Amino acid sequence: MPFRRFSVVRLRRAEEDEIPDEAGYRRQVRDHLTANYIAQFVHGVFGMTGFRLILAPTFVPAYLFVLTESVFVVGLGQALLQMGAVVSPIVGASAVEHRRRVLPVAISIGWMMRVAILGLGLSGILLEGRWQVLSCLFFLALFGYYLGAQRVAFQMLMAKVIPVERRGGLQAGRNLLGGAVAALLSYYAGREIIERNVLGNGYAATFLISFVLTTIGLSVLYVMIREPNAPVVAERQSVLRRIRQFPDLLRHRSFRFFVSAQMLLTNGRVAMPFATIYAAEVVELDGTTLGLLSLVFLGSDTLANLVWGRIGDKRGYRAVMIGTGLLWTLGMALILSAGEVWQVLLAFAAFGAGMSGFMIGAPSLALEFGSAREVPMRLALSTSAETSMAAIGPLLFGGVAAMAGLTFVFVLTAMATGAALVVLLRCVEEPRAAAPHAGRRP
Protein backbone atom coordinates (compact mmCIF):
# COMPACT_ATOMS: atom_id res chain seq x y z
CA MET A 1 0.00 0.00 0.00
CA PRO A 2 1.34 3.49 -0.81
CA PHE A 3 0.99 4.75 2.73
CA ARG A 4 3.35 2.03 3.93
CA ARG A 5 6.11 3.47 1.80
CA PHE A 6 7.30 6.43 3.78
CA SER A 7 10.96 6.56 2.75
CA VAL A 8 10.31 9.84 0.94
CA VAL A 9 9.45 11.49 4.25
CA ARG A 10 12.52 12.97 5.94
CA LEU A 11 12.74 11.96 9.58
CA ARG A 12 14.32 14.32 12.06
CA ARG A 13 17.61 12.50 12.57
CA ALA A 14 18.50 14.07 15.89
CA GLU A 15 15.63 12.26 17.63
CA GLU A 16 15.11 9.24 15.40
CA ASP A 17 17.12 6.71 17.40
CA GLU A 18 16.18 7.95 20.86
CA ILE A 19 13.77 5.62 22.65
CA PRO A 20 12.69 7.32 25.88
CA ASP A 21 11.24 5.69 28.95
CA GLU A 22 7.72 6.65 30.01
CA ALA A 23 8.94 9.66 32.01
CA GLY A 24 11.14 10.83 29.15
CA TYR A 25 8.28 10.43 26.71
CA ARG A 26 6.00 12.56 28.86
CA ARG A 27 8.70 15.18 29.16
CA GLN A 28 9.11 15.37 25.37
CA VAL A 29 5.35 15.73 24.98
CA ARG A 30 5.39 18.66 27.40
CA ASP A 31 8.45 20.27 25.81
CA HIS A 32 6.96 20.21 22.29
CA LEU A 33 3.34 20.78 23.28
CA THR A 34 3.11 24.36 22.01
CA ALA A 35 4.58 23.58 18.58
CA ASN A 36 2.52 20.41 18.24
CA TYR A 37 -0.66 22.17 19.33
CA ILE A 38 -0.15 24.88 16.71
CA ALA A 39 0.71 22.30 14.03
CA GLN A 40 -2.40 20.24 14.79
CA PHE A 41 -4.52 23.37 14.92
CA VAL A 42 -3.37 24.80 11.57
CA HIS A 43 -3.55 21.41 9.87
CA GLY A 44 -7.04 20.93 11.27
CA VAL A 45 -8.28 24.34 10.15
CA PHE A 46 -7.13 23.98 6.55
CA GLY A 47 -7.99 20.29 6.42
CA MET A 48 -11.46 20.75 7.88
CA THR A 49 -12.16 23.63 5.51
CA GLY A 50 -11.12 21.68 2.43
CA PHE A 51 -12.50 18.26 3.33
CA ARG A 52 -15.87 19.62 4.33
CA LEU A 53 -16.42 20.84 0.79
CA ILE A 54 -16.16 17.16 -0.22
CA LEU A 55 -17.84 15.52 2.76
CA ALA A 56 -20.74 17.93 3.32
CA PRO A 57 -24.01 16.28 2.25
CA THR A 58 -24.59 18.91 -0.43
CA PHE A 59 -22.02 19.42 -3.20
CA VAL A 60 -21.01 15.85 -4.13
CA PRO A 61 -24.58 14.41 -3.97
CA ALA A 62 -25.88 17.37 -5.99
CA TYR A 63 -23.01 16.96 -8.50
CA LEU A 64 -23.85 13.30 -9.07
CA PHE A 65 -27.55 14.12 -9.34
CA VAL A 66 -26.83 16.83 -11.93
CA LEU A 67 -24.69 14.39 -13.94
CA THR A 68 -27.10 11.45 -13.84
CA GLU A 69 -30.50 12.57 -12.44
CA SER A 70 -30.47 9.28 -10.50
CA VAL A 71 -31.06 8.94 -6.76
CA PHE A 72 -29.51 5.48 -6.93
CA VAL A 73 -26.25 6.86 -8.39
CA VAL A 74 -26.18 9.42 -5.60
CA GLY A 75 -26.38 6.52 -3.15
CA LEU A 76 -23.76 4.58 -5.11
CA GLY A 77 -21.34 7.50 -4.91
CA GLN A 78 -21.78 7.76 -1.16
CA ALA A 79 -21.39 3.99 -0.83
CA LEU A 80 -18.14 3.98 -2.82
CA LEU A 81 -16.89 6.83 -0.66
CA GLN A 82 -17.29 4.57 2.35
CA MET A 83 -16.51 1.11 0.94
CA GLY A 84 -12.77 1.65 0.81
CA ALA A 85 -12.83 2.85 4.38
CA VAL A 86 -14.17 -0.49 5.61
CA VAL A 87 -10.83 -2.28 5.34
CA SER A 88 -8.35 0.60 5.24
CA PRO A 89 -8.61 1.49 8.96
CA ILE A 90 -7.44 -2.03 9.82
CA VAL A 91 -4.63 -1.84 7.27
CA GLY A 92 -3.71 1.60 8.56
CA ALA A 93 -3.66 0.44 12.17
CA SER A 94 -1.51 -2.53 11.21
CA ALA A 95 0.88 -0.13 9.48
CA VAL A 96 1.36 2.18 12.47
CA GLU A 97 0.84 0.17 15.66
CA HIS A 98 4.33 -1.36 15.66
CA ARG A 99 6.11 1.90 14.71
CA ARG A 100 7.58 4.26 17.24
CA ARG A 101 6.65 7.16 14.93
CA VAL A 102 3.29 7.63 13.26
CA LEU A 103 4.01 10.82 11.28
CA PRO A 104 5.66 9.31 8.17
CA VAL A 105 2.73 6.98 7.55
CA ALA A 106 0.22 9.75 8.27
CA ILE A 107 1.85 12.09 5.76
CA SER A 108 1.81 9.42 3.03
CA ILE A 109 -1.87 8.73 3.65
CA GLY A 110 -2.59 12.46 3.64
CA TRP A 111 -0.97 12.93 0.24
CA MET A 112 -2.96 10.12 -1.32
CA MET A 113 -6.20 11.71 -0.09
CA ARG A 114 -5.23 14.93 -1.81
CA VAL A 115 -4.38 13.11 -5.02
CA ALA A 116 -7.93 11.75 -5.03
CA ILE A 117 -9.40 15.24 -4.56
CA LEU A 118 -7.20 16.61 -7.36
CA GLY A 119 -8.40 13.82 -9.65
CA LEU A 120 -12.01 14.55 -8.74
CA GLY A 121 -11.56 18.18 -9.75
CA LEU A 122 -9.53 17.66 -12.92
CA SER A 123 -11.75 14.87 -14.25
CA GLY A 124 -14.76 17.14 -13.94
CA ILE A 125 -13.05 19.73 -16.14
CA LEU A 126 -11.32 17.47 -18.66
CA LEU A 127 -13.86 14.67 -19.16
CA GLU A 128 -17.47 14.50 -20.30
CA GLY A 129 -20.42 12.14 -20.25
CA ARG A 130 -19.99 8.58 -19.03
CA TRP A 131 -16.26 8.98 -18.36
CA GLN A 132 -16.93 11.99 -16.17
CA VAL A 133 -19.36 9.99 -14.05
CA LEU A 134 -17.10 6.92 -13.86
CA SER A 135 -14.04 8.97 -12.93
CA CYS A 136 -16.03 10.78 -10.25
CA LEU A 137 -17.06 7.45 -8.73
CA PHE A 138 -13.48 6.13 -8.93
CA PHE A 139 -11.93 9.12 -7.18
CA LEU A 140 -14.64 9.08 -4.51
CA ALA A 141 -13.75 5.45 -3.80
CA LEU A 142 -10.02 6.28 -3.71
CA PHE A 143 -10.62 9.21 -1.39
CA GLY A 144 -12.77 7.04 0.87
CA TYR A 145 -10.07 4.37 1.14
CA TYR A 146 -7.47 6.79 2.42
CA LEU A 147 -10.03 8.65 4.50
CA GLY A 148 -10.53 5.50 6.55
CA ALA A 149 -6.79 4.97 6.98
CA GLN A 150 -6.15 8.57 7.96
CA ARG A 151 -8.72 8.47 10.74
CA VAL A 152 -6.57 5.90 12.52
CA ALA A 153 -3.18 7.42 11.68
CA PHE A 154 -4.02 11.02 12.54
CA GLN A 155 -5.93 10.10 15.69
CA MET A 156 -2.93 8.06 16.78
CA LEU A 157 -0.67 11.02 16.07
CA MET A 158 -2.87 13.30 18.12
CA ALA A 159 -3.01 10.76 20.95
CA LYS A 160 0.80 10.73 21.03
CA VAL A 161 1.50 14.46 21.05
CA ILE A 162 -1.57 16.07 22.68
CA PRO A 163 -2.61 15.23 26.28
CA VAL A 164 -6.12 13.85 26.59
CA GLU A 165 -7.35 16.81 28.63
CA ARG A 166 -6.31 19.19 25.82
CA ARG A 167 -7.76 17.28 22.88
CA GLY A 168 -11.36 18.42 23.25
CA GLY A 169 -10.38 22.07 23.27
CA LEU A 170 -8.03 21.61 20.34
CA GLN A 171 -10.63 19.84 18.23
CA ALA A 172 -13.32 22.33 19.16
CA GLY A 173 -11.10 25.32 18.39
CA ARG A 174 -9.83 24.13 15.04
CA ASN A 175 -13.27 22.88 14.03
CA LEU A 176 -14.73 26.25 15.02
CA LEU A 177 -12.37 28.27 12.84
CA GLY A 178 -12.18 25.72 10.03
CA GLY A 179 -15.92 25.26 10.06
CA ALA A 180 -16.57 29.01 9.98
CA VAL A 181 -14.31 29.41 6.95
CA ALA A 182 -15.84 26.31 5.32
CA ALA A 183 -19.37 27.60 5.88
CA LEU A 184 -18.64 30.96 4.30
CA LEU A 185 -16.60 29.38 1.51
CA SER A 186 -19.35 26.87 0.75
CA TYR A 187 -21.90 29.65 0.43
CA TYR A 188 -19.57 31.56 -1.88
CA ALA A 189 -18.83 28.38 -3.86
CA GLY A 190 -22.51 27.69 -4.37
CA ARG A 191 -23.51 31.24 -5.21
CA GLU A 192 -20.52 32.31 -7.30
CA ILE A 193 -18.48 29.30 -8.45
CA ILE A 194 -21.22 26.73 -9.12
CA GLU A 195 -23.87 29.23 -10.18
CA ARG A 196 -21.45 30.89 -12.63
CA ASN A 197 -20.01 27.52 -13.72
CA VAL A 198 -16.40 28.62 -13.19
CA LEU A 199 -13.84 26.72 -15.34
CA GLY A 200 -16.75 25.19 -17.22
CA ASN A 201 -17.67 23.06 -14.19
CA GLY A 202 -18.33 24.92 -10.94
CA TYR A 203 -18.41 21.71 -8.90
CA ALA A 204 -14.98 20.66 -10.18
CA ALA A 205 -13.60 24.15 -9.46
CA THR A 206 -14.89 23.79 -5.89
CA PHE A 207 -13.06 20.46 -5.53
CA LEU A 208 -9.82 22.07 -6.75
CA ILE A 209 -10.15 24.71 -4.02
CA SER A 210 -10.46 21.85 -1.53
CA PHE A 211 -7.22 20.35 -2.88
CA VAL A 212 -5.30 23.60 -2.39
CA LEU A 213 -6.55 24.17 1.15
CA THR A 214 -5.92 20.63 2.37
CA THR A 215 -2.44 20.61 0.85
CA ILE A 216 -1.52 23.77 2.76
CA GLY A 217 -2.65 22.16 6.02
CA LEU A 218 -0.70 18.95 5.48
CA SER A 219 2.46 20.88 4.58
CA VAL A 220 2.29 22.91 7.79
CA LEU A 221 1.83 19.75 9.86
CA TYR A 222 4.87 18.09 8.31
CA VAL A 223 7.10 21.13 8.85
CA MET A 224 6.08 21.96 12.42
CA ILE A 225 5.21 18.79 14.30
CA ARG A 226 7.64 17.12 16.70
CA GLU A 227 6.67 13.54 17.43
CA PRO A 228 8.61 11.64 20.11
CA ASN A 229 9.38 7.97 19.75
CA ALA A 230 6.84 5.83 21.59
CA PRO A 231 8.39 4.03 24.59
CA VAL A 232 6.17 0.97 24.04
CA VAL A 233 4.68 -0.33 20.80
CA ALA A 234 2.63 -3.36 19.87
CA GLU A 235 4.15 -6.39 18.20
CA ARG A 236 3.98 -6.30 14.41
CA GLN A 237 1.26 -8.63 13.18
CA SER A 238 -0.50 -9.32 9.92
CA VAL A 239 -3.83 -7.70 9.08
CA LEU A 240 -5.63 -11.05 9.13
CA ARG A 241 -4.22 -11.91 12.54
CA ARG A 242 -5.35 -8.56 13.85
CA ILE A 243 -8.85 -9.10 12.48
CA ARG A 244 -8.99 -12.43 14.30
CA GLN A 245 -8.31 -10.52 17.54
CA PHE A 246 -11.38 -8.32 17.16
CA PRO A 247 -13.54 -10.68 19.27
CA ASP A 248 -11.12 -10.13 22.17
CA LEU A 249 -11.65 -6.37 21.94
CA LEU A 250 -15.41 -6.85 21.84
CA ARG A 251 -15.37 -8.73 25.15
CA HIS A 252 -15.21 -5.29 26.75
CA ARG A 253 -18.94 -4.80 27.33
CA SER A 254 -19.15 -1.01 27.05
CA PHE A 255 -16.90 -0.93 23.98
CA ARG A 256 -19.03 -3.62 22.33
CA PHE A 257 -22.22 -1.64 22.88
CA PHE A 258 -20.48 1.59 21.88
CA VAL A 259 -19.63 0.05 18.50
CA SER A 260 -23.25 -1.06 18.13
CA ALA A 261 -24.52 2.44 18.91
CA GLN A 262 -21.97 3.96 16.55
CA MET A 263 -23.23 1.77 13.70
CA LEU A 264 -26.83 2.71 14.40
CA LEU A 265 -25.97 6.41 14.55
CA THR A 266 -24.13 6.15 11.25
CA ASN A 267 -27.51 5.79 9.55
CA GLY A 268 -28.14 9.42 10.40
CA ARG A 269 -25.02 10.46 8.49
CA VAL A 270 -25.93 8.17 5.60
CA ALA A 271 -29.35 9.78 5.19
CA MET A 272 -28.10 13.37 4.97
CA PRO A 273 -27.21 13.40 1.25
CA PHE A 274 -30.74 12.18 0.51
CA ALA A 275 -32.03 15.14 2.51
CA THR A 276 -30.30 17.38 -0.03
CA ILE A 277 -32.16 15.68 -2.87
CA TYR A 278 -35.40 15.86 -0.88
CA ALA A 279 -34.90 19.61 -0.47
CA ALA A 280 -35.43 19.91 -4.22
CA GLU A 281 -39.08 19.02 -3.60
CA VAL A 282 -39.44 22.08 -1.36
CA VAL A 283 -37.11 24.64 -2.98
CA GLU A 284 -35.28 24.96 -6.30
CA LEU A 285 -31.94 23.17 -5.96
CA ASP A 286 -29.72 25.73 -7.71
CA GLY A 287 -26.22 26.89 -6.77
CA THR A 288 -27.47 29.55 -4.38
CA THR A 289 -29.70 27.07 -2.54
CA LEU A 290 -26.86 24.57 -2.28
CA GLY A 291 -24.66 27.29 -0.87
CA LEU A 292 -27.31 28.23 1.67
CA LEU A 293 -27.88 24.63 2.78
CA SER A 294 -24.11 24.16 3.08
CA LEU A 295 -23.81 27.40 5.04
CA VAL A 296 -26.47 26.28 7.53
CA PHE A 297 -25.06 22.75 7.83
CA LEU A 298 -21.43 23.81 8.27
CA GLY A 299 -22.31 26.87 10.32
CA SER A 300 -24.23 24.83 12.89
CA ASP A 301 -21.46 22.22 12.80
CA THR A 302 -18.96 24.98 13.58
CA LEU A 303 -20.88 26.62 16.41
CA ALA A 304 -21.72 23.27 18.01
CA ASN A 305 -18.01 22.50 18.34
CA LEU A 306 -17.82 25.06 21.13
CA VAL A 307 -20.32 23.02 23.09
CA TRP A 308 -19.10 19.52 22.18
CA GLY A 309 -15.48 20.21 23.04
CA ARG A 310 -16.39 21.49 26.48
CA ILE A 311 -18.81 18.63 27.13
CA GLY A 312 -16.18 16.11 26.02
CA ASP A 313 -13.50 17.53 28.30
CA LYS A 314 -15.79 17.96 31.31
CA ARG A 315 -18.43 15.23 31.01
CA GLY A 316 -16.87 12.69 28.68
CA TYR A 317 -17.50 11.75 25.06
CA ARG A 318 -20.38 9.40 25.84
CA ALA A 319 -22.44 12.50 26.56
CA VAL A 320 -21.35 13.94 23.21
CA MET A 321 -22.59 10.84 21.39
CA ILE A 322 -25.92 11.01 23.21
CA GLY A 323 -26.32 14.63 22.13
CA THR A 324 -25.57 13.61 18.55
CA GLY A 325 -28.31 10.98 18.64
CA LEU A 326 -30.85 13.48 19.96
CA LEU A 327 -30.05 16.04 17.26
CA TRP A 328 -30.10 13.58 14.38
CA THR A 329 -33.42 12.09 15.52
CA LEU A 330 -34.82 15.62 15.71
CA GLY A 331 -33.43 16.42 12.26
CA MET A 332 -35.11 13.40 10.71
CA ALA A 333 -38.41 14.38 12.30
CA LEU A 334 -38.03 17.90 10.89
CA ILE A 335 -37.22 16.75 7.37
CA LEU A 336 -40.20 14.38 7.45
CA SER A 337 -42.55 17.26 8.22
CA ALA A 338 -40.81 19.87 6.04
CA GLY A 339 -43.11 21.85 3.79
CA GLU A 340 -41.40 25.20 3.98
CA VAL A 341 -37.84 26.38 3.39
CA TRP A 342 -37.27 27.25 7.05
CA GLN A 343 -38.05 23.67 8.11
CA VAL A 344 -35.47 22.29 5.70
CA LEU A 345 -32.90 24.78 6.97
CA LEU A 346 -33.68 23.87 10.59
CA ALA A 347 -33.25 20.16 9.78
CA PHE A 348 -29.86 20.87 8.19
CA ALA A 349 -28.87 22.87 11.26
CA ALA A 350 -29.66 19.83 13.43
CA PHE A 351 -27.72 17.57 11.05
CA GLY A 352 -24.69 19.85 11.12
CA ALA A 353 -24.63 20.26 14.89
CA GLY A 354 -24.92 16.50 15.31
CA MET A 355 -22.19 15.85 12.74
CA SER A 356 -19.61 17.80 14.72
CA GLY A 357 -20.56 15.84 17.83
CA PHE A 358 -20.21 12.55 15.96
CA MET A 359 -16.83 13.44 14.46
CA ILE A 360 -15.46 14.51 17.86
CA GLY A 361 -17.23 11.95 20.02
CA ALA A 362 -16.85 8.65 18.14
CA PRO A 363 -13.04 8.49 17.75
CA SER A 364 -12.39 10.18 21.10
CA LEU A 365 -14.62 7.75 23.00
CA ALA A 366 -13.01 4.79 21.24
CA LEU A 367 -9.62 5.95 22.55
CA GLU A 368 -10.68 5.58 26.17
CA PHE A 369 -11.79 1.95 26.39
CA GLY A 370 -9.25 -0.70 27.41
CA SER A 371 -5.46 -0.39 27.42
CA ALA A 372 -3.19 2.03 25.56
CA ARG A 373 -1.65 -0.79 23.47
CA GLU A 374 -5.07 -1.61 22.03
CA VAL A 375 -5.71 1.94 20.81
CA PRO A 376 -4.83 1.42 17.10
CA MET A 377 -6.99 -1.66 16.70
CA ARG A 378 -9.85 -0.21 18.75
CA LEU A 379 -9.85 2.76 16.41
CA ALA A 380 -9.64 0.45 13.41
CA LEU A 381 -12.48 -1.76 14.64
CA SER A 382 -14.82 1.11 15.47
CA THR A 383 -13.99 2.93 12.22
CA SER A 384 -14.46 -0.20 10.11
CA ALA A 385 -17.78 -0.95 11.82
CA GLU A 386 -18.94 2.60 11.14
CA THR A 387 -17.81 2.63 7.51
CA SER A 388 -19.34 -0.79 6.87
CA MET A 389 -22.70 0.66 7.76
CA ALA A 390 -21.90 3.84 5.83
CA ALA A 391 -21.06 1.76 2.74
CA ILE A 392 -24.14 -0.47 2.85
CA GLY A 393 -26.53 2.28 3.91
CA PRO A 394 -26.43 4.49 0.79
CA LEU A 395 -27.11 1.55 -1.51
CA LEU A 396 -29.92 0.35 0.72
CA PHE A 397 -31.40 3.82 1.12
CA GLY A 398 -30.98 4.53 -2.60
CA GLY A 399 -32.96 1.41 -3.41
CA VAL A 400 -35.60 2.20 -0.79
CA ALA A 401 -35.90 5.77 -2.11
CA ALA A 402 -36.32 4.53 -5.68
CA MET A 403 -39.04 2.06 -4.69
CA ALA A 404 -40.85 3.64 -1.74
CA GLY A 405 -39.78 7.29 -1.74
CA LEU A 406 -37.47 9.40 0.39
CA THR A 407 -39.99 9.71 3.23
CA PHE A 408 -39.54 6.06 4.16
CA VAL A 409 -35.74 6.54 4.22
CA PHE A 410 -36.07 9.20 6.88
CA VAL A 411 -38.51 7.09 8.93
CA LEU A 412 -36.01 4.21 9.01
CA THR A 413 -33.20 6.58 9.94
CA ALA A 414 -35.14 8.13 12.82
CA MET A 415 -35.80 4.63 14.18
CA ALA A 416 -32.08 3.75 13.96
CA THR A 417 -30.86 6.90 15.71
CA GLY A 418 -33.50 6.46 18.39
CA ALA A 419 -32.30 2.89 18.98
CA ALA A 420 -28.71 4.17 19.26
CA LEU A 421 -29.82 6.52 22.03
CA VAL A 422 -31.29 3.62 24.00
CA VAL A 423 -28.06 1.62 23.68
CA LEU A 424 -25.87 4.57 24.74
CA LEU A 425 -28.03 5.38 27.74
CA ARG A 426 -28.58 1.85 29.02
CA CYS A 427 -25.57 -0.21 27.93
CA VAL A 428 -22.50 2.03 27.53
CA GLU A 429 -20.72 3.08 30.70
CA GLU A 430 -18.71 6.30 30.72
CA PRO A 431 -15.08 5.00 30.59
CA ARG A 432 -13.71 7.80 32.76
CA ALA A 433 -16.06 6.80 35.55
CA ALA A 434 -15.14 3.13 35.23
CA ALA A 435 -11.36 3.60 34.92
CA PRO A 436 -10.19 7.23 34.95
CA HIS A 437 -6.80 6.45 33.42
CA ALA A 438 -7.54 3.49 31.19
CA GLY A 439 -6.24 3.70 27.70
CA ARG A 440 -4.84 7.20 28.04
CA ARG A 441 -1.50 8.61 27.14
CA PRO A 442 -0.56 12.24 27.72
Side-chain angles (χ1 to χ4, degrees):
M1 297 300 172
F3 57 79
R4 288 193 175 194
R5 303 187 187 105
F6 57 90
S7 59
V8 296
V9 182
R10 295 184 295 105
L11 298 176
R12 294 169 176 91
R13 300 297 181 183
E15 298 177 348
E16 182 179 6
D17 297 326
E18 179 185 353
I19 302 177
D21 57 16
E22 190 68 30
Y25 173 85
R26 293 175 183 272
R27 183 172 59 253
Q28 289 187 44
V29 171
R30 289 194 301 269
D31 291 345
H32 297 307
L33 180 58
T34 299
N36 288 337
Y37 197 97
I38 294 172
Q40 291 271 354
F41 185 86
V42 174
H43 169 254
V45 168
F46 280 94
M48 293 289 178
T49 301
F51 287 142
R52 288 183 185 188
L53 295 177
I54 306 295
L55 296 173
T58 48
F59 292 126
V60 170
Y63 181 45
L64 285 171
F65 193 70
V66 167
L67 291 179
T68 65
E69 296 185 353
S70 168
V71 177
F72 180 77
V73 173
V74 172
L76 176 61
Q78 296 301 305
L80 289 173
L81 183 62
Q82 299 297 331
M83 280 180 181
V86 174
V87 177
S88 63
I90 306 169
V91 179
S94 179
V96 301
E97 65 178 349
H98 63 282
R99 303 187 190 277
R100 297 195 180 273
R101 288 176 178 270
V102 178
L103 181 65
V105 178
I107 293 295
S108 296
I109 294 171
W111 275 118
M112 290 305 298
M113 292 178 66
R114 285 146 183 85
V115 167
I117 297 174
L118 179 62
L120 189 63
L122 292 178
S123 65
I125 295 172
L126 300 176
L127 301 177
E128 295 182 354
R130 178 186 301 176
W131 291 110
Q132 189 179 42
V133 175
L134 291 176
S135 64
C136 177
L137 295 174
F138 169 77
F139 285 115
L140 285 175
L142 184 66
F143 177 77
Y145 178 83
Y146 287 101
L147 178 66
Q150 72 91 29
R151 282 186 61 174
V152 175
F154 282 90
Q155 281 292 328
M156 277 294 299
L157 184 61
M158 176 182 288
K160 284 190 66 179
V161 301
I162 304 296
V164 65
E165 65 273 8
R166 300 290 296 274
R167 292 173 202 162
L170 169 63
Q171 293 181 93
R174 71 184 189 181
N175 290 358
L176 174 65
L177 182 56
V181 176
L184 295 174
L185 181 59
S186 65
Y187 182 70
Y188 175 82
R191 182 174 179 176
E192 301 295 333
I193 297 176
I194 293 176
E195 192 73 20
R196 296 175 184 272
N197 207 31
V198 173
L199 300 180
N201 187 327
Y203 291 98
T206 301
F207 303 149
L208 291 178
I209 291 173
S210 171
F211 168 75
V212 172
L213 292 173
T214 55
T215 298
I216 292 172
L218 188 66
S219 301
V220 170
L221 181 74
Y222 171 66
V223 170
M224 289 191 62
I225 202 152
R226 296 294 183 269
E227 179 194 4
N229 280 314
V232 178
V233 293
E235 177 188 355
R236 184 170 188 171
Q237 300 185 48
S238 68
V239 173
L240 290 177
R241 184 177 178 185
R242 276 308 193 189
I243 292 175
R244 287 196 292 267
Q245 293 173 352
F246 279 178
D248 293 334
L249 297 176
L250 292 174
R251 288 194 180 98
H252 191 297
R253 182 179 184 274
S254 285
F255 179 66
R256 180 171 68 251
F257 280 109
F258 156 71
V259 172
S260 300
Q262 184 182 15
M263 293 178 70
L264 287 167
L265 273 180
T266 300
N267 287 282
R269 181 161 65 88
V270 168
M272 291 177 201
F274 295 96
T276 299
I277 306 304
Y278 180 79
E281 300 180 9
V282 181
V283 294
E284 182 182 357
L285 198 61
D286 55 14
T288 300
T289 303
L290 280 173
L292 182 59
L293 291 176
S294 300
L295 175 65
V296 170
F297 178 85
L298 295 173
S300 62
D301 179 320
T302 299
L303 294 175
N305 274 286
L306 291 172
V307 179
W308 297 133
R310 186 170 183 81
I311 290 175
D313 285 344
K314 299 296 183 182
R315 300 284 185 180
Y317 292 101
R318 173 178 172 269
V320 173
M321 295 292 282
I322 291 171
T324 294
L326 288 170
L327 282 169
W328 281 354
T329 303
L330 173 63
M332 293 305 153
L334 287 168
I335 204 71
L336 279 169
S337 61
E340 302 290 339
V341 175
W342 68 268
Q343 293 172 306
V344 176
L345 293 176
L346 193 58
F348 270 74
F351 293 154
M355 179 64 81
S356 65
F358 188 82
M359 297 307 293
I360 287 178
S364 298
L365 187 57
L367 287 172
E368 297 193 43
F369 294 104
S371 69
R373 289 190 181 187
E374 296 172 345
V375 164
M377 296 314 294
R378 277 204 312 275
L379 281 171
L381 173 57
S382 66
T383 303
S384 293
E386 174 192 330
T387 51
S388 296
M389 182 63 70
I392 297 170
L395 291 176
L396 175 62
F397 285 175
V400 169
M403 293 186 294
L406 287 169
T407 298
F408 194 53
V409 169
F410 303 134
V411 170
L412 290 175
T413 305
M415 293 171 61
T417 54
L421 279 172
V422 174
V423 174
L424 286 167
L425 288 168
R426 297 182 61 87
C427 304
V428 179
E429 186 177 5
E430 168 57 49
R432 297 185 197 180
H437 303 290
R440 300 193 195 181
R441 187 181 292 282

